[in-house]
Amino acid sequence: KGNEVVADIGTGSGILAITAAGLGAARVDAVELDATAIPIAQENFQLNRVQSIVRLHYGDGLKGYATRVYPYIGKYDLIVANILTKVILPMIPQCPPLLKPGGGVILSGIMVKEAKQVQGALETNGFRCLETRQQEDWVAIWAKRISRKT
């Protein structure tokens, strides 16, 4: 739609952040733990002329995210991650407080045999899985945060 605020967790080369910016995101917070990937991502953001939209942060996924001083905490429209399932699973419970109502996640890097486990974790944490796409042995899942009645 455009004008979304996006978090790219485990940005690596920055391809998801660059894509989000290219599709009209107003702001992208790209987070990366691997210090060797940081300069690569920075260079890719400059080459693609998105450095005014994408902000690169050094950090371990969403761990401690709520305690960091970022202006958009709790206000992401979308969180994206293309990382291994063992990193995605502990991240899922941390997503709902960082999302706007109706916000969502797009998670990829999931092996086919692990997809049901990820879908279950999403549903347990207040998400509805809207779409699953498979390419060879890999799966991507799009899920939206749903309101829970207490």
Side-chain angles (χ1 to χ4, degrees):
K1 296 177 187 177
N3 291 319
E4 290 87 3
V5 179
V6 178
D8 175 10
I9 307 304
T11 198
S13 68
I15 188 69
L16 296 180
I18 293 164
T19 300
L23 290 172
R27 176 187 166 111
V28 181
D29 284 331
V31 181
E32 179 56 57
L33 178 62
D34 182 354
T36 62
I38 297 284
I40 295 165
Q42 285 175 323
E43 182 179 355
N44 288 336
F45 297 153
Q46 290 171 348
L47 289 171
N48 286 277
R49 297 184 176 99
V50 296
Q51 65 271 28
S52 65
I53 297 166
V54 179
R55 307 247 170 99
L56 184 57
H57 307 280
Y58 176 80
D60 188 0
L62 292 174
K63 289 180 184 172
Y65 216 70
T67 60
R68 295 185 206 148
V69 184
Y70 297 136
Y72 289 100
I73 292 300
K75 299 186 181 175
Y76 290 108
D77 296 289
L78 182 65
I79 296 173
V80 297
N82 181 34
I83 47 183
L84 298 174
T85 300
K86 70 180 184 177
V87 179
I88 288 173
L89 287 172
M91 185 179 91
I92 291 172
Q94 299 168 345
C95 289
L98 300 175
L99 288 167
K100 292 179 183 178
V105 296
I106 299 174
L107 306 173
S108 58
I110 303 162
M111 295 181 68
V112 170
K113 65 183 180 183
E114 300 166 333
K116 288 202 184 303
Q117 182 182 14
V118 173
Q119 288 171 324
L122 285 163
E123 290 168 4
T124 297
N125 286 280
F127 289 92
R128 177 177 294 124
C129 295
L130 301 175
E131 188 173 348
T132 301
R133 290 194 181 183
Q134 180 179 340
Q135 184 171 3
E136 297 178 12
D137 294 334
W138 301 97
V139 171
I141 300 170
W142 173 36
K144 280 196 116 175
R145 182 178 167 208
I146 55 173
S147 298
R148 292 186 181 204
K149 295 182 180 179
T150 55

